[in-house]
Amino acid sequence: MAIFNVQPKILLAALLLLAWLAQFVYFFRVQPFDTLFKRSTAENPVLSFQWRDVAPELSGVVKVMNECVEEITSSIHIESMAPLYTCDPSNVESMKEPAQCVADGAQHFENIVSLNSSFMTPAFFAQYDHFENEDRGHGKLAREKCGSSVVDVDQEKFQSLLGAKVRVELLDRSPCHSSYSFSLRDSSDSAGPTRGGTLIGKTHHFGSISISKHSIWGKRLQDAIVAALGSHKLKYDFAQRNMRGFYWYPPNGFTEWHTDSRQVGGWRLYVVKLMSPGDSGFVLYDSEKRRLQHIRDREGWVNMFRVDPEHPLWHAVFSRDAQRFTVGVAISDNYAELILKRMKR
């Protein structure tokens, strides 16, 4: 008779197991990925993880990124980004010499590192809307709205900061925000026009440097991204579009508050490389919950989030005293789903 006493217990255990499996399948397979993401990131719109643990396939990208960073920092030395801050469009003439926009840039830097949500009102963020309306210098709106003329600068003063091999040009994009362009002069390039040397990149709005996608380092990274992830893990078929920036944040470097909401929506991940660790990180503000989140940088970690034009997310980046580099990659929904599942293991 003992067997009849055991069987109901086994049956009950089997039913409980089946119910649990059904919930698991529903959560991870049946419901749309958007719903899965919203539930899993309700408290954290930005997901952070160590690439070795969650996305080991990024190893090839990290290897090439490290090589590029070593080469760039051995060619151009930037102890502080502050002398290279750029001005508002109305002050473009003053940008012919370095360190003319420090006060303006320092205020934008403070707007990030103060980590004070009390002044983050719609009126506060409105001051940054004009960058969004320029398409932040990247897309069709930038080409239609902004000028594009090259202005000579005081090379000696810039070279005293960056080294004798570096040439700087001022890209006057009035009525939009202007920027500096950096290149390495070839040995035969005594006059030193930028297009005659090795292109590095240009300032990214007020306080950081965007290593050009057309530079030797940008091209190598694009190839590494495609080789490491393949078409099924990337958002775009065109290799150049999948690299969403290669940025350098020297000490006092930053990217001001922005949403990227004028750009195409989708998933992005940013790999962080710290040449000299310090106080640096990623900051975001949830306007619906009126909550500020600060993600401190850690070497080899990745920040992943989704750009949604219908639900813009205000975010910014800063480096007080670190030499911070980051590479952005546009990834497919399927790969984002895979990463999320790995994080929940």
Side-chain angles (χ1 to χ4, degrees):
M1 296 295 293
I3 189 171
F4 295 104
N5 293 329
V6 173
Q7 284 180 341
K9 295 179 181 179
I10 296 176
L11 180 60
L12 178 60
L15 290 174
L16 289 173
L17 177 61
L18 287 173
W20 181 86
L21 288 173
Q23 288 182 340
F24 180 86
V25 171
Y26 174 78
F27 187 75
F28 283 101
R29 296 295 180 190
V30 177
Q31 61 181 338
F33 181 46
D34 283 352
T35 303
L36 175 63
F37 172 74
K38 288 176 182 177
R39 289 187 177 183
S40 301
T41 61
E43 295 301 320
N44 298 297
V46 176
L47 304 172
S48 296
F49 54 87
Q50 163 60 252
W51 68 265
R52 290 184 179 87
D53 298 334
V54 178
E57 52 273 356
L58 289 173
S59 61
V61 177
V62 174
K63 178 177 182 295
V64 173
M65 179 184 181
N66 291 341
E67 294 170 353
C68 291
V69 167
E70 291 283 353
E71 293 172 14
I72 292 168
T73 53
S74 67
S75 301
I76 175 172
H77 307 284
I78 304 178
E79 295 182 0
S80 171
M81 189 66 198
L84 301 174
Y85 287 165
T86 55
C87 298
D88 288 322
S90 59
N91 297 326
V92 65
E93 279 296 313
S94 63
M95 291 174 59
K96 292 180 179 179
E97 296 183 5
Q100 300 302 302
C101 312
V102 174
D104 290 344
Q107 183 57 60
H108 293 295
F109 186 83
E110 184 62 23
N111 287 345
I112 301 169
V113 300
S114 65
L115 300 176
N116 184 356
S117 62
S118 63
F119 59 78
M120 293 185 179
T121 63
F124 167 79
F125 288 116
Q127 66 182 303
Y128 295 106
D129 278 344
H130 62 286
F131 294 120
E132 301 285 307
N133 293 331
E134 288 178 17
D135 210 9
R136 306 197 74 249
H138 300 298
K140 182 179 179 181
L141 289 177
R143 292 191 293 271
E144 292 176 349
K145 291 185 175 183
C146 307
S148 179
S149 61
V150 178
V151 178
D152 288 331
V153 299
D154 190 325
Q155 292 297 328
E156 289 187 4
K157 290 184 177 179
F158 279 98
Q159 288 172 356
S160 69
L161 291 170
L162 307 174
K165 293 183 179 180
V166 180
R167 180 170 176 82
V168 179
E169 288 182 337
L170 172 57
L171 305 178
D172 185 351
R173 301 175 62 245
S174 300
C176 301
H177 191 268
S178 298
S179 59
Y180 293 121
S181 176
F182 307 97
S183 66
L184 295 175
R185 295 192 302 171
D186 293 337
S187 57
S188 60
D189 180 24
S190 57
T194 297
R195 41 195 155 279
T198 301
L199 177 66
I200 299 173
K202 61 182 181 179
T203 50
H204 186 59
H205 289 291
F206 283 113
S208 60
I209 295 174
S210 174
I211 307 300
S212 174
K213 291 182 178 181
H214 304 290
S215 69
I216 55 176
W217 303 287
K219 292 176 181 177
R220 280 164 57 186
L221 269 170
Q222 290 167 44
D223 292 341
I225 289 169
V226 172
L229 299 181
S231 59
H232 64 291
K233 291 184 175 69
L234 296 172
K235 181 174 177 62
Y236 303 107
D237 293 331
F238 185 42
Q240 191 179 102
R241 294 191 68 190
N242 288 305
M243 191 175 82
R244 306 307 297 175
F246 180 15
Y247 300 115
W248 182 5
Y249 299 87
N252 302 306
F254 67 95
T255 294
E256 69 282 343
W257 286 101
H258 63 286
T259 67
D260 288 331
S261 60
R262 303 298 194 279
Q263 299 184 30
V264 177
W267 288 91
R268 299 179 183 184
L269 56 80
Y270 288 84
V271 184
V272 176
K273 167 68 179 174
L274 301 175
M275 280 290 289
S276 58
D279 183 8
S280 62
F282 184 95
V283 184
L284 59 139
Y285 181 70
D286 187 331
S287 56
E288 293 182 1
K289 296 181 179 179
R290 295 187 58 81
R291 189 180 66 134
L292 188 70
Q293 184 179 354
H294 175 204
I295 301 173
R296 292 189 179 277
D297 283 336
R298 286 181 281 183
E299 170 65 19
W301 279 62
V302 176
N303 295 322
M304 186 178 88
F305 60 96
R306 184 173 61 173
V307 174
D308 184 352
E310 294 184 2
H311 300 91
L313 176 68
W314 284 102
H315 57 283
V317 183
F318 75 93
S319 171
R320 284 188 187 270
D321 52 9
Q323 291 284 357
R324 180 190 198 270
F325 287 81
T326 184
V327 170
V329 183
I331 61 174
S332 66
D333 287 352
N334 288 337
Y335 187 40
E337 182 178 9
L338 176 61
I339 288 174
L340 183 56
K341 291 176 179 178
R342 288 173 177 175
M343 291 182 71
K344 295 183 73 67
R345 287 187 304 201

